[in-house]
Amino acid sequence: MAPSAARRSSRSRRTRVAAAAALAVLSSTLVACGGGSEKPVLTWYINPDPDPPPDFEGAFGLEGIAERCSTDAYDIQTEQLPTAATEQRIQLMRRLAANDSSIDLMSIDPIFTAEFSEAGYLAELSESDQEELSEGKVEGAVDAATWKDQLVVAPQWLNTQLLWYRKSVAEKAGLDMTKPVTWEQIIDAAEETGTKVSIQGNKYEGYVVLVNALIQGAGGAIVSELEKGEEMEVGLDSEAGDAAAAVIEKLAGSSAADPDLPVSNEGTAEASFSGDTGGFMTNWTYIYLGYAETLKDDLGWARYPQTVEGQESKPPTGGINIGIGAFSENKEESLEATKCITSLENQVTYASETGGMPTLEEAYDAKELTELYPSEVLALFRESGNEGGPRPTTEYWATIVNAVLSRWHPQDAVTEETPSESASFLERVLNGDSLV
């Protein structure tokens, strides 16, 4: 999954790296003119990072990794993709459809792995490279990087959602947060205390992440039997779909809903949660670094809420994988760069700087992280990553997202009829009988 909408770009940092890369190109050109060999410059399309702390010095986040992974054999320059995952996909797909050889490395949201691989836009990885790039990784991250039993991209960092809450609000409502809680319980608690349950409700892929998690948490799936392609099984019209719709209908009709629910995203949810009516919020791992200092002892965390009481929740999972462009003229160098980008050292550094958690299991025991995060938070991140519910790995995901959004948005239009209506519509779209 792509970083939140709150993660803002830093044009100045990109410019510095681009300038350094330009100098590298100039230097290599001069060497070439003098009879030496030209040093390749690898272009890495990256997702935006959050802004660095005011006192941070040097290259931050992914740009820092690009600097550290540049070698005597090649340099790495970065190009920043849009913030939204859907727009990232569009920009990369347009270039790759034109056989753009300038794309050496790509940061790819896991939901697009299947589509990129099926289209032939990813350079193939040998069996030995697949084994090396998946060894010691969190199971969910490897699954999200695999298509048709082949690791087609390298898991770089892992994202998962937790239930973040204000301890004072939970205590006032009488909730025992040491035990699993349901969506119904936290909505009721927010109503009783005059606070909010903040989610991602905008008409974008992030809202379908919620719908997917609610359905998986009730034991179902939006789609299954993915190997059948457009003939896949649609699972919206089910008890799990009914349970998911009931949660959304309850929230939308309650005082616990944020006023901007139909347009809310990760960033607006943060703003509500940290405000005077903040109570509960589902959001990604980076929240801890952002609010540990401001909310201090009032910041609580728990596993993602249950859709059905007594049935384990399925926290959303995401993150970023590294793909090598199929049309790159520097595939060998790009593979070496990928191994550096996804190394233990860089995963630990990236997690400590941005809150994007590692895909390597052993990284969670690194001193840098155990000093930065409470052990309970790290354990919950790892548990949620391993036991969470990924989105379906299918080349039809973008179509599914648009079909679901057309029937499940806005939230106050969701009723008990929504699961059956959306299932029928999605089946027609997949069969080519309707357009999204």
Side-chain angles (χ1 to χ4, degrees), residues 185-215:
Q185 285 177 306
I186 63 171
I187 293 170
D188 288 343
E191 284 196 299
E192 291 171 16
T193 56
T195 57
K196 303 297 181 185
V197 176
S198 301
I199 64 168
Q200 294 78 53
N202 199 3
K203 196 172 185 179
Y204 72 148
E205 199 262 347
Y207 174 50
V208 183
V209 169
L210 169 68
V211 175
N212 185 62
L214 291 173
I215 292 176

Side-chain angles (χ1 to χ4, degrees), residues 240-418:
D242 293 343
V247 169
I248 292 174
E249 186 178 6
K250 179 178 177 65
L251 177 61
S254 75
S255 63
D258 279 317
D260 66 345
L261 176 60
V263 294
S264 62
N265 56 37
E266 289 86 345
T268 61
E270 284 183 66
S272 175
F273 180 67
S274 60
D276 294 339
T277 59
F280 304 87
M281 171 178 67
T282 51
N283 216 326
W284 303 98
T285 57
Y286 68 89
I287 290 299
Y288 180 80
L289 291 182
Y291 292 97
E293 289 298 320
T294 53
L295 296 181
K296 300 184 183 301
D297 293 339
D298 199 28
L299 177 64
W301 50 85
R303 180 158 170 152
Y304 199 76
Q306 294 180 342
T307 307
V308 179
E309 186 173 7
Q311 192 162 335
E312 276 201 340
S313 64
K314 287 291 190 180
T317 58
I320 285 294
N321 297 322
I322 304 299
I324 299 173
F327 312 109
S328 167
E329 296 173 352
N330 306 298
K331 291 188 180 68
E332 183 177 341
E333 293 86 353
S334 296
L335 177 60
E336 290 307 309
T338 297
K339 292 177 181 178
C340 176
I341 290 168
T342 58
S343 66
L344 175 64
E345 175 190 357
N346 280 315
Q347 289 203 18
V348 170
T349 301
Y350 189 71
S352 63
E353 289 180 354
T354 70
M357 301 311 293
T359 56
L360 276 166
E361 291 270 10
E362 66 176 307
Y364 288 83
D365 299 321
K367 183 179 179 182
E368 294 92 329
L369 298 189
T370 57
E371 289 181 346
L372 188 60
Y373 295 91
S375 59
E376 300 86 357
V377 172
L378 285 176
L380 194 52
F381 284 164
R382 187 189 295 188
E383 174 188 306
S384 298
N386 275 318
E387 300 178 9
R391 286 153 283 175
T393 305
T394 167
E395 66 270 40
Y396 294 96
W397 179 244
T399 299
I400 293 168
V401 166
N402 289 326
V404 170
L405 287 174
S406 72
R407 295 296 186 273
W408 289 69
H409 191 278
Q411 290 76 20
D412 60 6
V414 173
T415 68
E416 60 183 10
E417 304 298 328
T418 299

Side-chain angles (χ1 to χ4, degrees), residues 50 66 68-69 72 80 82 84 90 95 124 195 200 210 229 233 235 243 315 323 340 352 363 390 417 422:
R68 292 191 294 275
C69 289
D72 292 339
Q80 193 159 277
I90 291 172
R95 288 177 173 275
E124 292 185 8
T195 57
Q200 294 78 53
L210 169 68
E233 187 71 21
C340 176
S352 63
E417 304 298 328
S422 59

Side-chain angles (χ1 to χ4, degrees), residues 69-109:
C69 289
S70 293
T71 71
D72 292 339
Y74 54 81
D75 287 312
I76 303 174
Q77 69 174 3
T78 60
E79 289 288 342
Q80 193 159 277
L81 292 165
T83 299
T86 304
E87 293 174 7
Q88 293 173 12
R89 167 188 170 272
I90 291 172
Q91 186 172 124
L92 288 173
M93 291 289 278
R94 283 176 176 168
R95 288 177 173 275
L96 291 165
N99 294 359
D100 189 341
S101 62
S102 71
I103 299 179
D104 298 300
L105 297 160
M106 297 170 278
S107 293
I108 304 175
D109 193 301

